[in-house]
Amino acid sequence: MPEMDGLEAAREIRVRETNSSAHCWIIALTANAMQGDREVCLAAGMDDYISKPIKTDEFGAALRTRPRRTAPL
């Protein structure tokens, strides 16, 4: 993204959700697989983290952990 990276985008989404009951499920899909990257993504407000190459079982598990939406976005 030319204007902001994924970490900034996640932070901005969380700020915009502050006064609502909405929660956009964010999964980091990244080529960065360095130690500590997962923690950085989660600290930025992402809900899960998957490194590339994506394994379908990991991706499916990340999607299944998403809670059912109870409030409209």
Side-chain angles (χ1 to χ4, degrees):
M1 295 181 291
E3 292 83 29
M4 67 176 69
D5 64 22
L7 296 171
E8 292 174 275
R11 289 184 195 106
E12 181 63 26
I13 290 167
R14 296 303 177 228
V15 167
R16 292 179 184 204
E17 291 176 342
T18 300
N19 295 321
S20 76
S21 60
H23 180 83
C24 179
W25 194 255
I26 303 172
I27 301 173
L29 300 175
T30 181
N32 294 334
M34 304 291 288
Q35 186 173 7
D37 286 342
R38 178 182 182 82
E39 291 75 17
V40 170
C41 289
L42 297 178
M46 297 183 187
D47 297 291
D48 211 334
Y49 170 95
I50 301 172
S51 62
K52 296 176 186 176
I54 298 169
K55 298 178 181 93
T56 55
D57 58 327
E58 289 178 6
F59 187 62
L63 292 175
R64 283 189 296 278
T65 62
R66 178 186 175 275
R68 291 183 167 249
R69 185 170 50 175
T70 57
L73 292 176

